[in-house]
Amino acid sequence: MPLMGWIERAAQNSNFFAGKGRERKVRHLKAYAIFFSMKREATFMTGSGNGKDDDAEIIGALPAMAVKTRPKTKKPSQYKVYLLNDDYTPMEFVVHILEKYFNKNHEDAVRIMLHVHRHGAGLCGVYTREVAETKVSQVLAAARRAQHPLQCTMEKE
Ligand code: TYC
């Protein structure tokens, strides 16, 4: 903390610190500097920066601060990507799609395809928004190219 150096220098140069109370005054000032920097953090973290200078509230928040780390980044939302059943798309084509775009092995691809066939829809994977959007459009484009009505959708987790 830069303030510590400043306090040390001030303690050497200023008459205020001279004499027998010097050690105690320096300690006191350092403690105050630490308190103030913590207070700024606590005000920020508790959102209690309402202009009211309520030290009691800040001091109450200090123990929580010691264990609470401020998240710098929000973790991105995840999206589930589903295949939907229809009466016309060949089972083999759906299996191929699951292998190619969802990196499933053959066994899992067959299992998921049959789940969609029997239940109407099935989860193919969970991805961040951009990846999920890419998967959906890749599947729709491949289905359109092959002239199958296969549908694919995504849903926020
Ligand atoms: N129901 C289709 C059929 O009987 C197979 C199928 C499975 C289609 C999964 C789409 O997402 C799907 N040929």
Side-chain angles (χ1 to χ4, degrees), residues 83-87 89-91 94 113 116-117 150:
L83 277 179
L84 305 181
N85 190 37
D86 65 72
D87 292 338
T89 303
M91 290 183 172
V94 178
M113 181 279 294
V116 177
H117 177 68
L150 180 63

Side-chain angles (χ1 to χ4, degrees), residues 29-44:
L29 208 62
K30 283 183 175 177
Y32 220 74
I34 290 168
F35 172 72
F36 258 83
S37 76
M38 291 178 85
K39 181 174 154 178
R40 268 183 54 230
E41 278 285 290
T43 305
F44 180 74

